[in-house]
Amino acid sequence: MTDATRTYTEAPLTYWDTRHRERDDLASGGHIGLDRPGNEIFYAIRLGQLLTLIGDLSSPASPLFVLDAGCGKGHFARSLARCGHHVDAFDASEEAVTHARAEGGGPRFTVAALDEWRSPWLYDVVMCVDVLFHVLDDAQWRASLRNLASLVRITGRLIVTDENTDEPVPRGDYILHRPIAAYLEELEPMGLSHTLFRPYGFRENRVGFHVFTRNR
């Protein structure tokens, strides 16, 4: 085990707090290998696809209820709120949430882990962008995924990002891409079916949006 691996696996919250504190609003939750213009493009591509997947209809009288799980500094949450959606957002990093709250923009930002968030209502859309493949522990990953799925209303959507692979793919010291079969094993018994995979289509990135729809 390398020092970098030990640092992340033993103290992931410390890693993310440090990353959110030391890097700018895009690189802290974006691609650390890209410069600022590159991350601007990366965020814009993902946001455009998210808006397509969520839909372009919004009504002040009946906005969509959206949950951004692992929101980082709130870039996507604020963008969706500007589109008229009612957005709750949370992240395990206090550094990230403090920054998000200071920026404002409409969403309600809260500090919580993926497997801890509770809500008095269900959501039309629960999204978790570039977060789950950073959860290295399988038990924690399963608990997190099941908790997010439990927050989706009937006919609602769970949108998560990962590679579209048939076997586990570790990348670097803090990324583990899991196969679609692992997602289905957890989600199908909860009444969610896999309805779409849409790759980012950004440079060499193999990650994309997996959409699961709750049918019961």
Side-chain angles (χ1 to χ4, degrees):
M1 179 181 289
T2 66
D3 289 342
T5 303
R6 184 178 297 109
T7 298
Y8 184 79
T9 57
E10 294 182 0
L13 280 181
T14 299
Y15 169 88
W16 286 108
D17 276 339
T18 300
R19 179 164 160 174
H20 284 299
R21 182 171 57 251
E22 294 181 351
R23 295 183 179 270
D24 67 28
D25 56 320
L26 297 185
S28 61
H31 195 309
I32 58 176
L34 297 175
D35 57 12
R36 178 79 186 194
N39 265 311
E40 290 278 8
I41 296 168
F42 187 38
Y43 270 88
I45 287 174
R46 289 180 296 168
L47 176 60
Q49 294 200 23
L50 268 174
L51 292 173
T52 300
L53 295 172
I54 292 172
D56 60 358
L57 298 178
S58 64
S59 166
S62 56
L64 289 179
F65 280 71
V66 179
L67 176 65
D68 185 357
C71 65
K73 292 180 177 176
H75 182 90
F76 293 128
R78 284 190 296 274
S79 296
L80 292 175
R82 288 194 297 269
C83 291
H85 302 302
H86 180 99
V87 182
D88 288 336
F90 71 88
D91 198 278
S93 168
E94 291 192 16
E95 287 282 344
V97 172
T98 297
H99 179 96
R101 286 172 174 165
E103 290 289 323
R108 179 181 66 163
F109 293 104
T110 306
V111 177
L114 294 176
D115 59 348
E116 294 176 342
W117 175 262
R118 301 293 184 269
S119 170
W121 51 73
L122 299 178
Y123 296 90
D124 299 290
V125 177
V126 174
M127 65 183 203
C128 188
V129 180
D130 291 358
V131 179
L132 282 169
F133 52 71
H134 290 305
V135 181
L136 304 183
D137 181 81
D138 286 333
Q140 185 182 1
W141 178 84
R142 288 192 295 268
S144 298
L145 184 61
R146 288 196 299 266
N147 186 51
L148 297 182
S150 73
L151 298 167
V152 181
R153 70 167 178 83
I154 299 236
T155 73
R157 296 175 179 176
L158 172 65
I159 301 175
V160 301
T161 62
D162 210 327
E163 293 190 1
N164 192 25
T165 178
D166 294 325
E167 59 186 19
V169 179
R171 295 192 187 280
D173 296 323
Y174 65 108
I175 291 174
L176 175 59
H177 296 292
R178 291 176 173 86
I180 185 61
Y183 284 90
L184 294 176
E185 183 178 359
E186 303 301 324
L187 296 178
E188 284 186 333
M190 300 182 68
L192 286 92
S193 59
H194 188 241
T195 51
L196 178 68
F197 174 73
R198 179 170 295 170
Y200 291 163
F202 177 72
R203 300 186 184 180
E204 79 289 351
N205 200 309
R206 298 182 181 180
V207 176
F209 293 97
H210 287 281
V211 180
F212 298 87
T213 303
R214 191 181 197 98
N215 46 50
R216 60 178 172 82

